[in-house]
């Protein structure tokens, strides 16, 4: 995994997603572990790697654009997946502004806040 920004980014996404769901403290610890991993990546001193990992993280705009696609699909009569909480899930496979394909799905406000913090950590925005 060392040097594979895509794989590390995916691990961070899974950790933060798992820790951003309502539930037990163990789930919250997962998100905190994802954020700690971001700090560790920055501490490694490889800014190019940190930027590569940051480009794999979803951003509010990724989710918002995915939601717009879902609303458009629903209006056109296409099928739209809905999760257990009644949230429509945008289609996966959208690209962020760097052109990197990221998974877009309905995420909680807490989850998006965690992703925003992770991005700030990795890009020096704090």
């Amino acid at each position: 995994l060392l040097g594979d920004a895509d794989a590390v980014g995916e691990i961070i996404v899974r950790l933060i997603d798992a820790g951003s769901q309502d539930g037990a403290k163990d789930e919250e610890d997962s998100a905190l572990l994802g954020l700690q991993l971001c700090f560790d990546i920055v501490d490694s001193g490889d800014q190019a790697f940190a930027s590569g990992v940051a480009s794999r993280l979803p951003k509010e705009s990724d989710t918002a654009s995915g939601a717009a696609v879902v609303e458009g699909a629903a209006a056109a009569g296409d099928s739209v997946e809905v999760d257990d909480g009644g949230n429509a899930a945008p289609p996966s496979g959208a690209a962020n502004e760097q052109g990197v394909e990221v998974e877009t799905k309905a995420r909680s406000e807490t989850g998006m806040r965690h992703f925003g913090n992770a991005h700030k950590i990795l890009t020096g925005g704090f």
Side-chain angles (χ1 to χ4, degrees):
L1 292 175
L2 196 55
D4 188 351
D6 290 340
V8 173
E10 183 60 33
I11 289 169
I12 292 171
V13 167
R14 280 191 263 148
L15 285 168
I16 291 176
D17 275 342
S20 299
Q21 301 171 1
D22 295 332
K25 179 158 175 35
D26 290 343
E27 292 174 344
E28 182 179 323
D29 288 347
S30 178
L32 294 175
L33 182 60
L35 293 172
Q36 181 61 49
L37 184 56
C38 292
F39 280 113
D40 292 343
I41 290 168
V42 170
D43 283 344
S44 76
D46 187 346
Q47 187 58 44
F49 180 68
S51 294
V53 172
S55 72
R56 294 295 301 158
L57 302 180
K59 293 183 181 175
E60 187 103 23
S61 61
D62 297 335
T63 303
S65 66
V69 170
V70 168
E71 289 170 7
D78 294 339
S79 64
V80 176
E81 291 184 30
V82 178
D83 66 13
D84 294 336
N87 299 314
S92 62
N96 65 12
E97 62 268 8
Q98 288 86 18
V100 177
E101 189 172 305
V102 294
E103 179 184 350
T104 52
K105 67 178 192 175
R107 290 191 162 90
S108 69
E109 183 178 326
T110 301
M112 290 312 298
R113 189 171 50 249
H114 287 317
F115 284 118
N117 288 338
H119 194 269
K120 288 177 185 176
I121 293 165
L122 291 165
T123 59
F126 267 123

